Amino acid sequence: MMQLAFVPAIGACARPMANTIRIPISAVVGALLALATLPAAAADCGGNPSALGTARTLAVDPAVTPAVGRKHFPVTLPLKPKEVVLTFDDGPWPGTTDAVLKALRAECVKASFFMLGRNAVAHPALARKVLAEGHTVAHHTYSHPLLSHMSLPRAEAEIDRGFAAVDQAVYGSGSRVPRTPFFRFPGFASNAALVDLLARRRIAVFGADLWASDWNPMSPQHQRTLVLQRLIHAGGGIVLFHDTHAQTAKMLPDFLRDLKRLDYRVVHIVPASHVASHESAGR
Ligand SMILES: [Zn+2]
């Protein structure tokens, strides 16, 4: 049973009430509500009691962590050992994105998809399906140019075109202010001026802590072994995949079972602004 007052165990009976730590009932109710809204645990995963599940949701505030991922930046997200953030770039793409979504659904795992504007425009139903299945829809420019080679105004225009196109496809309206302020540079081709510009606009830049190298053709089994070795070496972190590659889609069911077997835990990243607005809407 949940207790409303916790008394120190040693000499508790002799202590005056002033030493009793009192927990407001509102806090207890809040904790119970929080438990009720926890992400889908493995136990709830539609007939798959051994599912990996999503361990927790992490609200990312661009003002606190403007650029994360140790492959390119000095810091990463505040993850515990063996926590993993799954990210997929370059989609949505028919066939492969569907297969990735199916694998994630089977294990009740939530991920983040850094979409290209041109692909969201070409496949809006698939882009909406990613959101409808509870994943985070993030951004990766309109047409995947290497922005570090462009003038600052042209690079910003390309980023903004991507924001607007993805949000238009997914939500029915879009602008240069993205619904989810998460961005990843194509080819990790950033520069200090662009990173600063995005920080000023309160858009979090995601690098990665490790990647699957799935732009290189290889068998799904080789892909699975490679990324697993890198994950074990890194001890967790932000993992970069591409949902446009069949080899990634094919190895994902086995890879998710590997995570479960090896006691890794999946963390779903969401914008802090969304969490704050939902909390205020619930008041
Ligand atoms: Zn890309």
Side-chain angles (χ1 to χ4, degrees), residues 1-3 32 86 101 115 141 147 180 183 192 243 248-249 281:
M1 286 291 291
M2 181 83 66
Q3 294 179 333
L32 289 172
L86 300 175
L101 289 175
M115 293 186 184
T141 73
L147 299 176
T180 295
F183 177 78
D243 54 312
T248 295

Side-chain angles (χ1 to χ4, degrees), residues 146-206:
L146 297 181
L147 299 176
S148 60
H149 297 268
M150 298 165 64
S151 70
L152 202 60
R154 278 192 60 216
E156 187 177 20
E158 168 67 31
I159 293 169
D160 287 346
R161 191 180 176 204
F163 290 155
V166 168
D167 281 2
Q168 174 70 41
V170 173
Y171 304 100
S173 66
S175 74
R176 67 188 296 274
V177 180
R179 296 286 212 294
T180 295
F182 293 175
F183 177 78
R184 182 178 271 144
F185 283 92
F188 289 102
S190 67
N191 57 42
L194 279 168
V195 172
D196 286 350
L197 182 149
L198 291 168
R200 285 197 301 277
R201 288 181 56 182
R202 291 284 190 263
I203 292 159
V205 174
F206 283 80

Side-chain angles (χ1 to χ4, degrees), residues 89-90 114 116 140 144 184-187 242:
D89 283 10
D90 291 4
F114 290 77
L116 289 178
H140 195 46
H144 213 273
R184 182 178 271 144
F185 283 92
H242 292 80

